Amino acid sequence: VGPAPLSAAQKATLHRAEERLVHRCMHDRGWAYRETPPDDPSVRDRGPGRSFPYLVTDVAWAETYGYGDAFTPAAGAAPDARRAAPARTGQAVPARPSADWARALYGTGRQVSVELPGGGRLSTSDRGCLASARKTLYGDLGRWFPARRLSDNIDVFVRQRVRDDDDFKEGVAAWSRCARTRGHDVASPGQLRAELDRRTPGSTPAEAHAREVRTAVVEATCARSSGLARTLRQREAYWRPRVRARFREELDELVRLERAALPEAATVLRTPAPNP
């Protein structure tokens, strides 16, 4: 049995401490920096930002938001890219970060990397304010970063397994038959969304939204009535523990490093943020 996972409150403490350390470092280098609050999935999932990794499955949500932001690029894919407020201290914040601001935050030169299963590599510099903050909290960036990024991508690995699962493919075929009975001759939810042109010439925003809602409602209705939504829950429940077992060593390492960082994080947060 591995170490007990951190609570949401403990994870939020680490996030706030990292942001505070980055803020101090950027301030010391003459840059303004706005600390980003911890993500609150409970708030996000109640609105248009709710995530549907395979297809929309909530009919009531689709009736309100259509597709919302469900299929925009996921913010979690590059969590370090969400930071903003690139300006010299005492100056107005520009719309986009400058190269100098980005170098101060992200660093350049030597990289810490992790290879992802199936190909691909994620890397971060071991210099810059972000690396400095993480070294202060976790000590060894070479241990923390690979474990953190593998953990961040567990959902991605699970979804890859699910999409290759024969039960999932059969479920999509059943979903397609349902969609055809509702006037959409498509083989997959992706094809259904592809036929939805939000920029239909001459249509008003209200008309475009109404069309989007109708399409999303078909997607969600068929997800339920075809049994695909149930299949997704079952196959995710099957694959998730198997994927986590594959990365058990890295996941346990991450918990140990982050749990050990909690006292330092509490100390960091007792010091107020720098003045602009």
Side-chain angles (χ1 to χ4, degrees):
V1 178
L6 273 64
S7 68
Q10 289 170 324
K11 292 179 181 179
T13 294
L14 292 176
H15 175 91
R16 288 193 296 268
E18 181 180 302
E19 288 292 292
R20 183 63 47 82
L21 288 166
V22 170
H23 190 171
R24 288 183 199 166
C25 177
M26 294 292 281
H27 183 269
D28 290 346
R29 297 187 184 192
W31 292 104
Y33 183 83
R34 182 173 59 247
E35 297 178 22
T36 61
D39 184 41
D40 186 347
S42 66
V43 173
R44 181 189 64 226
D45 288 353
R46 287 196 295 268
R50 182 175 174 184
S51 175
F52 293 92
Y54 305 96
L55 79 169
V56 175
T57 56
D58 187 328
V59 175
W61 186 91
E63 288 173 340
T64 302
Y65 299 110
Y67 284 109
D69 302 329
F71 295 98
T72 57
D80 291 343
R82 298 198 300 269
R83 302 165 194 272
R88 282 291 183 187
T89 52
Q91 298 179 1
V93 176
R96 293 185 178 182
S98 71
D100 289 340
W101 181 89
R103 279 192 292 270
L105 176 60
Y106 298 117
T108 57
R110 292 185 303 176
Q111 299 286 305
V112 176
S113 301
V114 57
E115 298 282 349
L116 298 179
R121 176 194 295 263
L122 297 175
S123 301
T124 189
S125 172
D126 69 350
R127 304 171 189 179
C129 286
L130 189 54
S132 175
R134 289 167 172 172
K135 288 175 183 177
T136 297
L137 286 173
Y138 307 114
D140 188 341
L141 195 63
R143 292 169 59 201
W144 178 85
F145 179 78
R148 175 73 269 173
R149 288 297 171 258
L150 285 172
S151 175
D152 289 340
N153 281 277
I154 288 295
D155 284 347
V156 175
F157 304 149
V158 171
R159 291 163 191 164
Q160 289 170 346
R161 293 288 193 175
V162 170
R163 290 190 174 98
D164 289 338
D165 192 300
D166 287 342
D167 286 354
F168 171 75
K169 294 174 183 177
E170 291 174 6
V172 171
W175 176 93
S176 175
R177 291 192 292 272
C178 172
R180 283 198 294 272
T181 67
R182 288 163 171 78
H184 299 273
D185 188 12
V186 292
S188 68
Q191 287 187 11
L192 178 64
R193 293 189 292 275
E195 77 174 18
L196 176 64
D197 185 356
R198 299 189 188 191
R199 298 178 299 279
T200 302
S203 64
T204 66
E207 290 168 341
H209 178 68
R211 184 183 176 201
E212 177 186 334
V213 165
R214 289 194 299 271
T215 305
V217 166
V218 168
E219 181 170 315
T221 299
C222 286
R224 311 292 292 187
S225 64
S226 69
L228 179 55
R230 181 177 61 254
T231 296
L232 288 172
R233 290 193 300 271
Q234 292 170 343
R235 301 323 292 164
E236 282 222 341
Y238 175 83
W239 282 114
R240 186 168 299 279
R242 288 162 173 78
V243 169
R244 290 185 65 85
R246 178 179 177 183
F247 300 106
R248 175 56 55 200
E249 183 177 344
E250 292 88 348
L251 296 176
D252 288 350
E253 171 84 325
L254 178 64
V255 172
R256 286 191 291 268
L257 289 170
E258 296 194 335
R259 190 168 293 282
L262 288 169
E264 178 66 23
T267 299
V268 167
L269 293 172
R270 283 197 285 268
T271 303
N275 291 322

